[in-house]
Protein backbone atom coordinates (compact mmCIF):
# COMPACT_ATOMS: atom_id res chain seq x y z
CA UNK A 1 0.00 0.00 0.00
CA UNK A 2 1.92 3.03 -1.30
CA UNK A 3 -0.44 5.74 0.04
CA UNK A 4 0.13 9.12 -1.64
CA UNK A 5 3.04 9.24 -4.09
CA UNK A 6 4.51 12.50 -5.35
CA UNK A 7 7.04 12.95 -8.11
CA UNK A 8 9.57 14.44 -8.52
CA UNK A 9 11.02 14.95 -5.04
CA UNK A 10 13.19 17.86 -6.16
CA UNK A 11 13.00 20.18 -9.14
CA UNK A 12 14.78 23.31 -10.31
CA UNK A 13 13.06 25.44 -12.95
CA UNK A 14 13.97 28.59 -14.76
CA UNK A 15 11.57 31.53 -14.66
CA UNK A 16 8.92 31.10 -17.34
CA UNK A 17 9.22 27.33 -17.67
CA UNK A 18 6.22 25.10 -17.13
CA UNK A 19 6.03 21.75 -15.43
CA UNK A 20 3.65 19.26 -13.85
CA UNK A 21 3.91 17.91 -10.33
CA UNK A 22 2.51 14.41 -10.18
CA UNK A 23 0.35 13.01 -7.39
CA UNK A 24 -1.16 9.53 -7.22
CA UNK A 25 -2.98 7.68 -4.46
CA UNK A 26 -3.95 4.03 -4.27
CA UNK A 27 -6.47 4.23 -1.42
CA UNK A 28 -9.54 5.02 -3.54
CA UNK A 29 -9.92 8.36 -1.77
CA UNK A 30 -12.42 10.79 -3.27
CA UNK A 31 -10.94 13.96 -1.79
CA UNK A 32 -7.54 15.24 -2.93
CA UNK A 33 -5.78 18.56 -2.52
CA UNK A 34 -2.54 20.45 -3.12
CA UNK A 35 -0.81 22.63 -0.54
CA UNK A 36 2.30 24.72 -0.56
CA UNK A 37 4.49 25.11 2.52
CA UNK A 38 6.45 28.29 3.09
CA UNK A 39 8.47 29.20 6.22
CA UNK A 40 6.36 30.78 8.95
CA UNK A 41 3.13 30.41 6.98
CA UNK A 42 2.09 26.83 7.57
CA UNK A 43 0.47 25.13 4.61
CA UNK A 44 -1.81 26.96 2.24
CA UNK A 45 -4.36 25.31 -0.03
CA UNK A 46 -3.81 25.74 -3.77
CA UNK A 47 -6.53 23.58 -5.36
CA UNK A 48 -8.70 20.72 -4.27
CA UNK A 49 -10.99 18.05 -5.72
CA UNK A 50 -13.98 16.22 -4.28
CA UNK A 51 -14.02 13.56 -6.99
CA UNK A 52 -13.07 12.75 -10.56
CA UNK A 53 -13.99 15.61 -12.86
CA UNK A 54 -14.56 18.10 -10.01
CA UNK A 55 -11.96 20.66 -8.94
CA UNK A 56 -12.05 24.01 -7.19
CA UNK A 57 -9.70 26.78 -6.12
CA UNK A 58 -8.19 27.11 -2.71
CA UNK A 59 -6.51 30.02 -0.98
CA UNK A 60 -3.61 30.60 -3.40
CA UNK A 61 -4.59 29.29 -6.87
CA UNK A 62 -2.97 31.88 -9.13
CA UNK A 63 -0.35 30.45 -11.48
CA UNK A 64 -1.49 26.85 -10.99
CA UNK A 65 -3.86 24.53 -12.85
CA UNK A 66 -5.28 21.15 -11.90
CA UNK A 67 -7.44 18.45 -13.42
CA UNK A 68 -8.87 15.22 -12.06
CA UNK A 69 -9.59 12.72 -14.81
CA UNK A 70 -9.32 9.66 -12.53
CA UNK A 71 -9.85 9.00 -8.83
CA UNK A 72 -6.18 8.08 -8.43
CA UNK A 73 -4.37 11.02 -10.03
CA UNK A 74 -4.36 14.75 -9.29
CA UNK A 75 -1.54 16.56 -11.15
CA UNK A 76 -0.61 20.18 -10.46
CA UNK A 77 0.57 22.28 -13.40
CA UNK A 78 2.71 25.38 -13.12
CA UNK A 79 1.93 27.40 -16.22
CA UNK A 80 4.85 29.86 -16.22
CA UNK A 81 7.09 29.44 -13.20
CA UNK A 82 8.00 32.47 -11.10
CA UNK A 83 10.48 32.79 -8.19
CA UNK A 84 7.49 33.34 -5.86
CA UNK A 85 6.51 29.73 -6.55
CA UNK A 86 9.66 28.44 -4.90
CA UNK A 87 8.21 26.26 -2.15
CA UNK A 88 7.59 22.74 -0.92
CA UNK A 89 4.44 21.26 -2.43
CA UNK A 90 2.35 18.59 -0.75
CA UNK A 91 -0.43 16.50 -2.17
CA UNK A 92 -2.98 15.00 0.21
CA UNK A 93 -5.97 12.67 0.00
CA UNK A 94 -8.84 11.72 2.28
CA UNK A 95 -11.68 9.25 2.33
CA UNK A 96 -13.97 11.35 4.47
CA UNK A 97 -12.73 14.93 4.46
CA UNK A 98 -13.18 16.73 7.76
CA UNK A 99 -14.15 13.59 9.69
CA UNK A 100 -10.96 11.70 8.87
CA UNK A 101 -8.18 14.13 8.10
CA UNK A 102 -5.82 13.78 5.18
CA UNK A 103 -2.93 11.51 4.22
CA UNK A 104 0.01 13.49 2.85
CA UNK A 105 2.65 12.67 0.30
CA UNK A 106 6.34 13.23 1.03
CA UNK A 107 6.46 16.50 -0.91
CA UNK A 108 8.18 18.11 -3.90
CA UNK A 109 10.77 20.77 -3.23
CA UNK A 110 10.64 23.26 -6.11
CA UNK A 111 13.13 26.03 -6.74
CA UNK A 112 12.51 28.62 -9.44
CA UNK A 113 15.58 30.62 -10.48
CA UNK B 1 -13.53 32.31 7.34
CA UNK B 2 -11.49 29.67 9.13
CA UNK B 3 -8.20 30.45 10.81
CA UNK B 4 -5.80 28.76 13.22
CA UNK B 5 -3.37 30.46 15.57
CA UNK B 6 -0.72 28.43 17.28
CA UNK B 7 2.06 29.17 19.68
CA UNK B 8 5.15 30.51 18.04
CA UNK B 9 8.38 28.65 18.37
CA UNK B 10 10.91 27.47 18.34
CA UNK B 11 10.53 25.48 21.53
CA UNK B 12 13.56 23.76 23.05
CA UNK B 13 13.13 21.23 25.84
CA UNK B 14 15.15 18.66 27.72
CA UNK B 15 14.24 15.00 27.53
CA UNK B 16 11.41 14.00 29.92
CA UNK B 17 10.13 17.59 30.13
CA UNK B 18 6.43 18.47 29.74
CA UNK B 19 5.38 19.89 26.38
CA UNK B 20 2.43 22.17 25.67
CA UNK B 21 1.73 23.81 22.32
CA UNK B 22 -1.19 26.20 22.34
CA UNK B 23 -3.68 26.30 19.48
CA UNK B 24 -6.80 28.44 19.11
CA UNK B 25 -9.13 28.66 16.17
CA UNK B 26 -11.86 30.65 14.46
CA UNK B 27 -14.36 28.76 12.36
CA UNK B 28 -17.93 28.65 11.17
CA UNK B 29 -20.02 25.70 12.20
CA UNK B 30 -18.52 22.73 14.00
CA UNK B 31 -15.09 21.92 12.62
CA UNK B 32 -12.93 18.89 13.20
CA UNK B 33 -9.54 19.64 14.76
CA UNK B 34 -6.23 17.97 14.02
CA UNK B 35 -2.59 17.92 15.03
CA UNK B 36 -0.10 16.97 12.35
CA UNK B 37 3.61 16.30 12.85
CA UNK B 38 6.39 16.79 10.32
CA UNK B 39 9.73 15.13 10.96
CA UNK B 40 12.79 16.56 9.19
CA UNK B 41 12.69 15.98 5.44
CA UNK B 42 9.32 14.23 5.53
CA UNK B 43 5.68 14.94 4.78
CA UNK B 44 2.98 15.56 7.37
CA UNK B 45 1.60 12.74 9.46
CA UNK B 46 -1.69 12.85 11.31
CA UNK B 47 -0.87 12.76 15.02
CA UNK B 48 -4.36 12.97 16.52
CA UNK B 49 -7.81 14.38 15.86
CA UNK B 50 -11.09 15.33 17.53
CA UNK B 51 -14.35 15.71 15.68
CA UNK B 52 -16.67 17.23 18.29
CA UNK B 53 -16.62 19.34 21.43
CA UNK B 54 -15.05 17.72 24.52
CA UNK B 55 -13.51 14.91 22.47
CA UNK B 56 -9.96 14.03 23.46
CA UNK B 57 -7.59 12.87 20.77
CA UNK B 58 -4.53 10.87 21.80
CA UNK B 59 -1.62 9.08 20.15
CA UNK B 60 2.00 8.25 21.02
CA UNK B 61 1.64 9.89 24.44
CA UNK B 62 0.29 13.14 22.99
CA UNK B 63 -3.16 14.44 23.93
CA UNK B 64 -5.42 17.32 22.94
CA UNK B 65 -8.97 18.16 24.01
CA UNK B 66 -11.47 19.97 21.79
CA UNK B 67 -12.65 22.96 23.89
CA UNK B 68 -15.47 24.75 22.12
CA UNK B 69 -16.00 27.29 24.91
CA UNK B 70 -12.43 28.56 24.55
CA UNK B 71 -12.04 27.61 20.85
CA UNK B 72 -8.84 25.78 21.69
CA UNK B 73 -7.08 22.48 20.98
CA UNK B 74 -3.81 22.56 22.92
CA UNK B 75 -1.32 19.73 22.40
CA UNK B 76 0.34 18.16 25.45
CA UNK B 77 2.82 15.43 26.22
CA UNK B 78 3.95 14.57 29.70
CA UNK B 79 7.49 13.36 28.98
CA UNK B 80 9.11 14.16 25.65
CA UNK B 81 11.87 12.20 23.96
CA UNK B 82 14.56 13.24 21.50
CA UNK B 83 12.54 11.45 18.81
CA UNK B 84 9.69 13.96 19.34
CA UNK B 85 11.79 16.70 17.73
CA UNK B 86 9.69 17.88 14.80
CA UNK B 87 7.39 20.62 13.53
CA UNK B 88 3.84 20.41 14.87
CA UNK B 89 0.86 21.87 13.00
CA UNK B 90 -2.60 22.53 14.36
CA UNK B 91 -5.33 22.37 11.70
CA UNK B 92 -9.08 22.47 11.32
CA UNK B 93 -11.60 21.43 8.72
CA UNK B 94 -15.34 21.67 8.34
CA UNK B 95 -15.51 20.50 4.76
CA UNK B 96 -12.96 19.08 2.30
CA UNK B 97 -10.14 21.48 3.09
CA UNK B 98 -7.68 21.95 5.91
CA UNK B 99 -6.69 25.30 7.40
CA UNK B 100 -3.30 25.20 9.13
CA UNK B 101 -1.52 27.16 11.79
CA UNK B 102 2.00 28.38 11.08
CA UNK B 103 3.65 25.43 12.80
CA UNK B 104 5.75 25.12 15.96
CA UNK B 105 9.26 23.73 15.80
CA UNK B 106 10.10 21.58 18.82
CA UNK B 107 13.63 20.46 19.62
CA UNK B 108 14.23 17.98 22.43
CA UNK B 109 17.77 17.72 23.79
CA UNK B 110 19.17 14.65 25.50
Amino acid sequence: NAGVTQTPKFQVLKTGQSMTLQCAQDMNHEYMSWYRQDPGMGLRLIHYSVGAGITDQGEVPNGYNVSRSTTEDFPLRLLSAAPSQTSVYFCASSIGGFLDGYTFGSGTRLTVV
Amino acid sequence: GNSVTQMEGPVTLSEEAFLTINCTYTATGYPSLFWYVQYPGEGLQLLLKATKADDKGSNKGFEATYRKETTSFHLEKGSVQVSDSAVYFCALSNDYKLSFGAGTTVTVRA
Side-chain angles (χ1 to χ4, degrees):
Chain A
N1 192 348
V4 179
T5 302
Q6 290 184 237
T7 56
K9 291 191 181 302
F10 302 94
Q11 183 71 50
V12 178
L13 287 179
K14 294 182 178 179
T15 298
Q17 287 185 316
S18 62
M19 79 161 292
T20 299
L21 308 185
Q22 301 292 343
C23 175
Q25 53 91 8
D26 61 357
M27 299 173 285
N28 203 31
H29 286 176
E30 288 295 325
Y31 309 124
M32 296 186 74
S33 51
W34 276 101
Y35 294 84
R36 59 177 289 172
Q37 182 180 22
D38 302 293
M41 303 186 73
L43 281 77
R44 292 179 293 168
L45 181 65
I46 304 172
H47 285 285
Y48 67 99
S49 169
V50 299
I54 306 170
T55 63
D56 206 347
Q57 296 181 352
E59 186 182 352
V60 288
N62 292 341
Y64 307 95
N65 263 357
V66 292
S67 60
R68 184 100 180 266
S69 56
T70 67
T71 299
E72 294 77 21
D73 299 300
F74 191 43
L76 178 72
R77 297 181 188 84
L78 279 69
L79 308 173
S80 177
S84 60
Q85 294 178 305
T86 293
S87 187
V88 182
Y89 292 84
F90 289 100
C91 179
S93 73
S94 174
I95 191 167
F98 72 96
L99 290 177
D100 297 299
Y102 276 76
T103 300
F104 282 79
S106 57
T108 294
R109 182 174 294 276
L110 175 69
T111 302
V112 182
V113 297
Chain B
N2 295 339
S3 68
V4 177
T5 303
Q6 66 180 100
M7 177 176 135
E8 291 187 14
V11 174
T12 302
L13 303 165
S14 297
E15 224 171 8
E16 300 183 3
F18 185 86
L19 171 67
T20 299
I21 304 176
N22 290 340
C23 172
T24 57
Y25 69 90
T26 302
T28 56
Y30 303 93
S32 294
L33 302 174
F34 306 90
W35 277 100
Y36 281 86
V37 59
Q38 184 178 33
Y39 298 104
E42 298 184 11
L44 278 73
Q45 300 176 25
L46 179 63
L47 181 58
L48 54 83
K49 68 177 182 182
T51 58
K52 61 182 187 297
D54 300 325
D55 267 2
K56 178 185 284 188
S58 61
N59 186 25
K60 300 181 180 180
F62 290 90
E63 293 184 339
T65 301
Y66 188 163
R67 301 289 189 196
K68 190 166 178 61
E69 64 275 14
T70 54
T71 62
S72 65
F73 193 54
H74 306 321
L75 183 68
E76 297 181 337
K77 185 174 185 181
S79 178
V80 294
Q81 305 299 314
V82 172
S83 57
D84 294 323
S85 298
V87 182
Y88 293 83
F89 292 94
C90 185
L92 70 82
S93 178
N94 51 14
D95 50 20
Y96 316 112
K97 301 164 285 187
L98 285 164
S99 297
F100 285 89
T104 302
T105 299
V106 174
T107 302
V108 181
R109 294 185 173 168

